[in-house]
Amino acid sequence: MSHQTGIKANAELLKFFGKCKDGKTRVIKISIKNEELTLIDHKKVDKDWEKDYDKCVKSLIEDDVPCYVLYRLDPKTPIGHAWLLISWTPDSATVREKMLYASTKATLKLEFGSANIKEELHATSKDETTLDGYFKHKKAFSAPNPLTTREEELEELKRNEVKTDYSVDSRQQTLGGINCPMSEAAQNAIADTVRGSFNYLQFRIDLQEEKIHLVKADNIVLEKLSKEIPADHARYHIYLFKHTHEGDYQESFIFIYSMPGYACTVKERMMYSSCKGPFLDAIQGLGLEIVKKLEIDSGDELTEDYFQDELHPKKILHRPQFSKPKGPPNRGAKRLTKPQAVE
């Protein structure tokens, strides 16, 4: 979990954030001044994003002064234009400045709108802030992890493996679930939650396009969690439960599948049930470790005691001993079976 500095955007910057997403602004420079995120400079769109890049970004980068640069790319996200966040922290910056800018980045993303930020680039030298440096970063980020010789041999064996163990007793493996893709906003919200920006996420499935979308990303207290559960539609939720157990402080991500019974259509119940498994795999593939999975009918069930019991079930140390029940009344004396003589 990342630690926040408490530094927030000032009123001028927040007002500018509301205006800059109209497609006319190309780049924004932001610095920390007087314990606030402050607008330093901005430039308008001139040509396409590649031609504007070096011309706009180069003039904003100072040798020894850290800053954030938000650069608008031309491709669009489902909710607007996609932006690149450049975190410029030169090697010559002080340790305090490096820690301050690293710890405040999550707040900047939250106040700008995490779903609008498609990519991030952390630069410590000026070469990394150029267009060529950006393309090198993308190439390195998308490259697969190098394999050892042994791993390469295993991969080759898997590719060439031919299965011949079929017989009349062989069974066909059933379908594990429907893999509905996530929207980019949903993926960004999960990544932000891993970094510590949010403690609650809610997702819905678009039944027409069969895609999972982000409904809400927020920080809420446990007492208000029940109010986030819809009474007429199914939803997926992720909640970071912060608690103590046996004197130890713990933070546990809990996946909650809410299904309000027959208030939902048959198709909705089937889709949410079938997509749950692949969706959980995708969540954990993005680095968010789910500690507990729950299914509920309504939000009233979500209390601290309920989470504690699910995460840390009470152990029965001594099983109760039951006395032998008495026989039926008036059944008479017990009969003794006389052993038969062996001939």
Side-chain angles (χ1 to χ4, degrees):
M1 301 292 293
S2 61
H3 300 280
Q4 304 299 307
T5 57
I7 295 173
K8 296 184 179 296
N10 59 26
E12 179 191 7
L13 181 58
L14 289 174
K15 185 177 180 181
F16 184 77
F17 279 165
K19 295 179 179 179
C20 70
K21 297 167 188 173
D22 57 2
K24 297 179 181 178
T25 302
R26 174 62 76 192
V27 66
I28 311 164
K29 179 179 179 179
I30 302 156
S31 294
I32 299 175
K33 301 288 185 182
N34 300 321
E35 303 299 316
E36 292 181 325
L37 287 167
T38 306
L39 176 65
I40 302 299
D41 199 356
H42 64 91
K43 298 182 185 297
K44 292 185 177 181
V45 171
D46 185 15
K47 300 176 183 177
D48 65 73
W49 74 272
E50 290 189 33
K51 293 179 180 177
D52 285 346
Y53 193 99
D54 283 331
K55 179 177 64 175
C56 291
V57 175
K58 186 177 180 180
S59 62
L60 300 178
I61 301 297
E62 299 178 66
D63 288 335
D64 303 319
V65 184
C67 69
Y68 303 111
V69 175
L70 282 162
Y71 188 85
R72 202 207 81 186
L73 308 170
D74 286 339
K76 289 189 176 183
T77 67
I79 62 171
H81 289 280
W83 292 74
L84 165 69
L85 172 59
I86 303 173
S87 301
W88 166 241
T89 48
D91 291 329
S92 56
T94 64
V95 174
R96 181 183 181 277
E97 286 177 323
K98 291 177 181 178
M99 294 181 63
L100 193 63
Y101 274 81
S103 302
T104 309
K105 184 170 69 170
T107 303
L108 170 64
K109 291 173 61 180
L110 181 63
E111 297 192 326
F112 180 74
S114 300
N116 294 295
I117 298 174
K118 182 181 179 184
E119 297 177 71
E120 294 183 43
L121 171 62
H122 179 71
T124 57
S125 66
K126 280 194 169 183
D127 291 341
E128 294 173 320
T129 65
T130 63
L131 183 61
D132 185 53
Y134 165 69
F135 283 133
K136 287 180 180 178
H137 163 77
K138 285 198 68 171
K139 185 177 180 180
F141 188 80
S142 60
N145 293 328
L147 301 177
T148 64
T149 304
R150 178 60 179 161
E151 289 172 335
E152 289 178 351
E153 291 173 355
L154 290 172
E155 288 294 322
E156 185 67 23
L157 283 171
K158 287 179 182 178
R159 286 193 293 268
N160 296 327
E161 184 180 25
V162 178
K163 293 184 179 180
T164 58
D165 54 342
Y166 293 103
S167 68
V168 292
D169 296 323
S170 297
R171 294 183 179 181
Q172 183 68 29
Q173 184 178 2
T174 56
L175 183 65
I178 300 173
N179 191 2
C180 290
M182 276 190 281
S183 67
E184 193 166 340
Q187 296 180 51
N188 289 339
I190 293 171
D192 288 341
T193 302
V194 173
R195 299 186 190 102
S197 299
F198 307 113
N199 74 346
Y200 172 73
L201 301 177
Q202 184 180 138
F203 304 91
R204 67 175 180 87
I205 299 177
D206 188 308
L207 301 181
Q208 299 300 320
E209 60 175 341
E210 296 186 354
K211 192 172 186 178
I212 298 174
H213 292 278
L214 176 69
V215 176
K216 186 172 186 179
D218 204 350
N219 288 289
I220 61 175
V221 295
L222 178 59
E223 290 74 16
K224 295 184 178 180
L225 180 60
S226 61
K227 297 179 181 178
E228 302 295 335
I229 312 299
D232 54 351
H233 287 291
R235 290 287 187 268
Y236 298 134
H237 315 261
I238 295 173
Y239 185 69
L240 179 61
F241 180 49
K242 300 179 180 180
H243 62 288
T244 56
H245 176 64
E246 296 180 349
D248 294 330
Y249 175 75
Q250 299 181 18
E251 296 186 354
S252 306
F253 280 110
I254 300 176
F255 178 84
I256 304 165
Y257 165 37
S258 64
M259 171 59 70
Y262 291 95
C264 303
T265 63
V266 174
K267 182 178 180 180
E268 186 173 356
R269 294 200 300 270
M270 290 179 64
M271 283 295 293
Y272 275 83
S273 177
S274 300
C275 292
K276 183 181 68 171
F279 181 51
L280 277 164
D281 292 340
I283 289 172
Q284 300 192 95
L286 291 170
L288 196 152
E289 182 182 355
I290 300 297
V291 175
K292 187 70 179 178
K293 308 179 210 40
L294 303 175
E295 293 189 16
I296 62 170
D297 296 321
S298 70
D300 296 336
E301 302 174 50
L302 302 179
T303 62
E304 172 138 8
D305 290 341
Y306 175 67
F307 283 152
Q308 288 278 11
D309 289 342
E310 289 293 331
L311 286 170
H312 312 289
K314 296 179 176 64
K315 297 179 181 178
I316 300 176
L317 299 178
H318 302 285
R319 294 185 179 275
Q321 293 184 353
F322 296 96
S323 57
K324 185 178 179 180
K326 294 181 179 180
N330 304 320
R331 68 176 181 178
K334 293 182 180 180
R335 290 185 298 172
L336 296 176
T337 303
K338 185 177 180 180
Q340 295 181 356
V342 180
E343 294 180 358

